[in-house]
Amino acid sequence: MSRLPLLDGVLTYIKEKNVSFCMPGHKGGLGFLKTMKGRELYENFIKADITEVDGLDNLHHAEGIIKESQQLLSSYYGSTKSYFLVNGSTSGNFTMIFSVFNEGDKIIVERNCHRSIYNAIIMRKLKPVYIKNKLNLEYDVPFPFDKEHFLCLIRENKDAKGIIITYPNYYGICLDLSYIIATAKKYNIKVLIDAAHGAHFGANKLLPENPLKLGANMVVMSAHKTLPSLTQTAFLHVGPDIAISKVDFYVSAFLSTSPSYMFLCSMDYARFYIEEYGENDYEELIKMCKLNRVKINKLGKFHILGQEDLENVSGNSTKDINKYTMDLTRYILNVPKGYSGHKLLEYLRLSKIQAEMSDSRNVVLIFSPFNDEQDFEKLYLALKACDMESLKETYVHIIDYDIPAQSMFPYEVMDSDKTMVELKKSRGEICAVAIVPYPPGIPIVMPGERLDENNIALILYYLKCNVTVLGINDGKVAIVNK
């Protein structure tokens, strides 16, 4: 009999009844079952897999029900125009970059942006100036960049056409976006936001603000990460001073010409849900998160970061004390030095609890209003029963470092001949790949930057400590031929 490994694997996973503290936001369909409209959609998903038949609409030339739904989306988030994306936030990031920038433009970009941002920068042939992210060395958590560094960089690059920011970062930590936007506008620099993890922002006063309300020029949000929408769905929002005609073109260019109505209906429902129920449901969710944070922290084994921990970043000055905020609907579950976040993630999986991600000392859990008190209790009991001895691991110091000198732009590297050389013998060479240790997931060297004595020593340190380092294969690195 012919095998169905993919289907059988998914069905086996479903039968295991894991508690979901990860994407997607509907938590195994529970988000659709919460409302009458959601249940109706849930029961008809397969039947809704139709194309642009008579009586429906065309995503690439919306005039009927899709146009109306996107207008409702725009009205809720406060955009000039909003779009449904069936190719995920990646297509939205490409659309933003191609709509706003021209070949050869200089842009400022966060060092730890999503890889789709870097891919679009290469394809659009842009000239990036990287802005360094901070590290909280007490908990080994990557933080956004700070104001002082931002101000220095923007004053040195007044000719930059835009800045691309991740809000929040993958740990749910947010910078002072209103300050960044206000400052950028003084220099006529457009602000593009990858808010993949922030589609629920602004639904309740206890959450960070929706970036459109703060004046962002363009924003991408993954509907599926935190809202009841199918995986691969996202929103693109256009703010002030953006040419809609260009956005229309690039949205169409980067999306499938056969969009799924299952995806479209789930995005319409996600907007309906957060508009109708978001304020109250997120209030209740945040209460549960806060109560259980206290309960778990009292175990004395782990520490879930709170707002007070964001105010103690190495190097912060008193005047900057409240510049970082956090999404209270996720946990950064930290283990002490000498214990492993990766091992804790594996322990939780064996306990039928699925978390979002781990690094050397942290596990990130994402909650939605469809997690109930029983889910939190299962997490608490699993953590209470956890044998800390099983999580022990030699501690690897996360080291802060300077951004290397740039000799070529990333798009120039793509068209260059390359050679693999021993990392130890690569001093002075131009790197042809991104070299990224996990943790902390922030590139040490980017394509076009020089390998020097300091960054080579840092890479070798991580390799010696058995840290996964992307861009290094069997001790070799790709360099640009001279």
Side-chain angles (χ1 to χ4, degrees):
M1 181 180 292
S2 179
R3 297 179 65 244
L4 288 166
L6 180 59
L7 177 60
D8 290 342
V10 170
L11 292 176
T12 298
Y13 175 83
I14 292 171
K15 290 173 183 176
E16 289 177 348
K17 296 183 178 179
N18 291 264
V19 173
S20 174
F21 296 132
C22 59
M23 300 181 282
H26 60 72
K27 306 299 181 184
L30 296 175
F32 298 110
L33 298 176
K34 183 177 177 67
T35 70
M36 183 179 70
K37 277 294 181 184
R39 288 193 296 273
E40 191 174 2
L41 175 60
Y42 184 92
E43 292 165 2
N44 289 281
F45 259 133
I46 299 302
K47 294 177 183 177
D49 188 21
I50 49 183
T51 187
E52 295 96 341
V53 297
D54 186 45
L56 294 181
D57 202 358
N58 185 333
L59 180 62
H60 293 267
H61 186 63
E63 296 179 316
I65 55 176
I66 295 177
K67 180 180 179 180
E68 182 182 356
S69 294
Q70 290 186 149
Q71 287 173 339
L72 290 169
L73 180 69
S74 174
S75 177
Y76 174 74
Y77 282 101
S79 70
T80 301
K81 186 173 182 178
S82 291
Y83 302 81
F84 290 142
L85 304 177
V86 294
N87 291 37
S89 282
T90 292
S91 63
N93 285 335
F94 270 79
T95 298
M96 283 200 305
I97 287 170
F98 274 74
S99 298
V100 174
F101 306 125
N102 297 313
E103 286 191 12
D105 281 350
K106 178 193 285 188
I107 63 166
I108 298 170
V109 58
E110 268 193 285
R111 192 73 172 180
N112 68 339
C113 276
H114 189 264
R115 67 177 183 175
S116 61
I117 296 288
Y118 291 124
N119 290 341
I121 287 170
I122 290 171
M123 292 177 67
R124 196 51 164 161
K125 295 186 176 180
L126 302 179
K127 299 174 179 177
V129 175
Y130 300 108
I131 186 164
K132 185 181 175 184
N133 297 89
K134 290 186 76 70
L135 288 170
N136 181 306
L137 299 179
E138 182 176 356
Y139 301 109
D140 291 334
V141 174
F143 275 37
F145 58 84
D146 65 24
K147 294 175 183 176
E148 185 178 352
H149 179 43
F150 165 71
L151 278 174
C152 180
L153 201 65
I154 205 168
R155 287 168 182 162
E156 293 173 353
N157 296 277
K158 296 177 182 178
D159 56 337
K161 300 299 183 183
I163 179 170
I164 304 174
I165 293 170
T166 306
Y167 172 89
N169 70 7
Y170 307 124
Y171 292 75
I173 301 172
C174 302
L175 44 61
D176 185 351
L177 187 57
S178 58
Y179 175 85
I180 301 299
I181 291 173
T183 304
K185 288 191 174 182
K186 291 179 183 177
Y187 295 90
N188 198 29
I189 292 176
K190 288 186 169 57
V191 182
L192 278 55
I193 307 295
D194 178 357
H197 288 262
H200 58 305
F201 282 9
N204 184 283
K205 64 182 182 297
L206 298 175
L207 291 167
E209 185 56 275
N210 161 14
L212 287 154
K213 298 292 177 66
L214 300 176
N217 296 101
M218 290 190 80
V219 181
V220 172
M221 298 173 172
S222 285
H224 72 94
K225 283 183 169 63
T226 57
L227 300 182
S229 190
L230 293 181
T231 298
Q232 202 175 309
T233 58
F235 303 141
L236 172 64
H237 306 292
V238 180
D241 304 319
I242 298 294
I244 295 294
S245 60
K246 291 182 71 174
V247 180
D248 287 342
F249 173 81
Y250 285 113
V251 165
S252 185
F254 289 121
L255 292 188
S256 168
T257 55
S258 301
S260 166
Y261 269 85
M262 299 164 69
F263 286 1
L264 295 171
C265 288
S266 73
M267 285 186 277
D268 195 26
Y269 175 72
R271 187 273 315 159
F272 162 80
Y273 167 78
I274 197 169
E275 185 171 3
E276 295 293 324
Y277 301 94
E279 185 173 2
N280 291 334
D281 283 8
Y282 276 97
E283 184 108 16
E284 292 304 312
L285 173 62
I286 290 170
K287 283 181 183 177
M288 279 199 293
C289 288
K290 286 182 174 180
L291 286 171
N292 285 278
R293 173 182 178 250
V294 172
K295 192 175 174 183
I296 291 169
N297 283 352
K298 283 183 178 178
L299 290 173
K301 299 178 174 183
F302 313 97
H303 179 72
I304 298 171
L305 273 67
Q307 183 63 39
E308 67 277 8
D309 298 304
L310 307 188
E311 298 167 0
N312 297 315
V313 185
S314 176
N316 272 8
S317 60
T318 305
K319 66 180 180 180
D320 290 333
I321 195 166
N322 291 313
K323 64 183 176 182
Y324 297 134
T325 55
M326 69 189 311
D327 178 2
L328 297 176
T329 68
R330 68 179 62 197
Y331 283 169
I332 305 171
L333 180 61
N334 180 264
V335 295
K337 292 180 179 179
Y339 297 84
S340 168
H342 298 306
K343 288 183 177 180
L344 177 57
L345 178 71
E346 185 58 30
Y347 167 76
L348 291 174
R349 284 174 176 166
L350 293 173
S351 303
K352 305 303 179 189
I353 295 171
Q354 293 294 334
E356 177 63 21
M357 58 172 276
S358 63
D359 63 31
S360 62
R361 287 189 56 209
N362 300 282
V363 172
V364 176
L365 303 100
I366 301 177
F367 307 104
S368 83
F370 317 116
N371 290 116
D372 58 22
E373 189 57 59
Q374 287 182 325
D375 293 343
F376 281 94
E377 184 65 12
K378 185 171 182 178
L379 174 64
Y380 172 77
L381 292 174
L383 293 174
K384 183 179 181 181
C386 181
D387 177 10
M388 296 300 288
E389 290 295 311
S390 68
L391 306 184
K392 279 193 171 181
E393 188 154 280
T394 303
Y395 177 64
V396 178
H397 289 273
I398 304 298
I399 301 173
D400 206 353
Y401 50 87
D402 294 327
I403 295 175
Q406 187 178 68
S407 297
M408 297 176 67
F409 296 113
Y411 74 87
E412 295 174 320
V413 173
M414 291 295 293
D415 295 327
S416 302
D417 293 330
K418 304 169 186 67
T419 303
M420 296 294 293
V421 301
E422 293 287 340
L423 175 64
K424 294 178 181 179
K425 299 178 181 179
S426 66
R427 181 178 176 183
E429 302 288 355
I430 299 173
C431 192
V433 293
I435 301 179
V436 189
Y438 282 90
I442 300 172
I444 295 176
V445 187
M446 288 294 288
E449 294 176 345
R450 290 277 178 183
L451 289 152
D452 60 34
E453 184 177 356
N454 292 328
N455 55 49
I456 291 171
L458 181 56
I459 296 164
L460 289 171
Y461 166 75
Y462 282 127
L463 290 172
K464 182 180 178 181
C465 295
N466 296 315
V467 171
T468 298
V469 182
L470 301 182
I472 303 296
N473 296 297
D474 296 325
K476 293 184 177 182
V477 60
I479 62 166
V480 175
N481 289 350
K482 294 181 179 178

